[in-house]
Amino acid sequence: MTEMTETGEPGLRERKKRETRELISDRATELFILRGFEETTVAEIAAAALVAKKTVTNYFPRKEDLALDMHEEFTQGLARTVARRRTGESALAALRGEFLAAVSRHDPVIGFSGEPFARMVAGSPTLTARLRDLHEQREEALARTLADETGVPAGDITPRAAAAQLAGVHRVLFRELMDLTLQGRSDESAAEAVAGSAERAFALLAPSLGEYAVRI
């Protein structure tokens, strides 16, 4: 349970834990960009953050989590967007709207990372594999939510097929944003390009999914 004060704010212990986690993550990112993900050890990260190696692994059980530390927001984001859609809004419309909003705010969850970070990820087989795993987890979470929201019988393929298409668009757009970043495009330039791609990509799904999972 998260420690809270009487005003509803995190307590001192909780704030200290959050600060420690952020410090470890920041130091890890600096080392990964400077030396490469594969070449940097957990012990070196601990030394840079002035904490014990066990402290690092307590906060980040997997080394990959130090680089991709927004994995919870990433894997659950599509499902949450669908679960929170407005009355009369389809899953497709909700996801399209949220993606375009994320583009406008240059949200790192959809791939805005800066060229050094993107190059570090692209150059690491471990992180590339981890990203594939996170994309699959995101699709599975979306499929479960679509099944719950549409009330289909267990085993119905429809939510899984819809999730594959909806998450697939996000996977393609994530890759495009990474590629644009690796080309040296600014966030503003990349955002303009990927917004146009998103409009076209989501439009392709409209004939089949435009009226799917509309909240009543």
Side-chain angles (χ1 to χ4, degrees):
M1 180 180 294
T2 302
E3 177 193 8
M4 305 292 286
T5 66
E6 291 182 359
T7 61
E9 295 295 323
L12 178 59
R13 182 183 303 174
E14 190 66 27
R15 290 200 302 273
K16 183 65 175 177
K17 288 171 62 178
R18 186 179 303 169
E19 290 168 0
T20 300
R21 189 182 193 282
E22 291 175 355
L23 173 64
I24 294 170
S25 178
D26 289 347
R27 294 296 174 269
T29 300
E30 291 168 2
L31 288 172
F32 291 153
I33 291 174
L34 179 65
R35 302 186 55 201
F37 177 82
E38 311 291 347
E39 293 76 15
T40 303
T41 68
V42 173
E44 289 168 337
I45 294 167
L50 302 178
V51 298
K53 181 179 177 181
K54 184 173 177 57
T55 301
V56 175
T57 56
N58 282 342
Y59 282 97
F60 301 93
R62 300 176 58 154
K63 183 182 171 185
E64 300 95 302
D65 294 340
L66 284 156
L68 305 172
D69 63 346
M70 301 183 76
H71 57 278
E72 198 274 339
E73 294 92 332
F74 185 91
T75 59
Q76 301 302 315
L78 303 188
R80 288 172 179 164
T81 296
V82 168
R84 296 168 181 169
R85 70 197 186 287
R86 301 186 301 273
T87 300
E89 188 173 42
S90 68
L92 174 62
L95 290 170
R96 173 189 172 278
E98 174 53 32
F99 184 85
L100 292 174
V103 170
S104 68
R105 63 178 181 263
H106 301 169
D107 194 330
V109 174
I110 67 167
F112 285 95
S113 60
E115 185 179 356
F117 188 88
R119 199 164 299 284
M120 179 268 292
V121 172
S124 167
T126 302
L127 291 179
T128 301
R130 178 59 171 161
L131 266 178
R132 285 197 297 269
D133 179 50
L134 292 175
H135 278 294
E136 291 176 2
Q137 290 182 40
R138 180 167 67 171
E139 181 182 319
E140 291 167 2
L142 177 58
R144 288 193 297 271
T145 295
L146 288 171
D148 290 342
E149 292 290 315
T150 56
V152 296
D156 190 313
I157 197 173
T158 308
R160 286 182 284 133
Q165 295 177 70
L166 293 165
V169 164
H170 285 79
R171 184 193 296 254
V172 169
L173 293 171
F174 185 95
R175 179 56 189 267
E176 178 172 338
L177 190 46
M178 287 282 287
D179 289 344
L180 290 168
T181 302
L182 290 170
Q183 292 167 20
R185 301 275 287 270
S186 67
D187 282 352
E188 290 75 15
S189 175
E192 182 178 359
V194 81
S197 295
E199 293 283 14
R200 294 191 296 276
F202 284 112
L204 289 173
L205 299 184
S208 58
L209 295 176
E211 300 301 319
Y212 174 69
V214 174
R215 170 154 285 170
I216 300 173

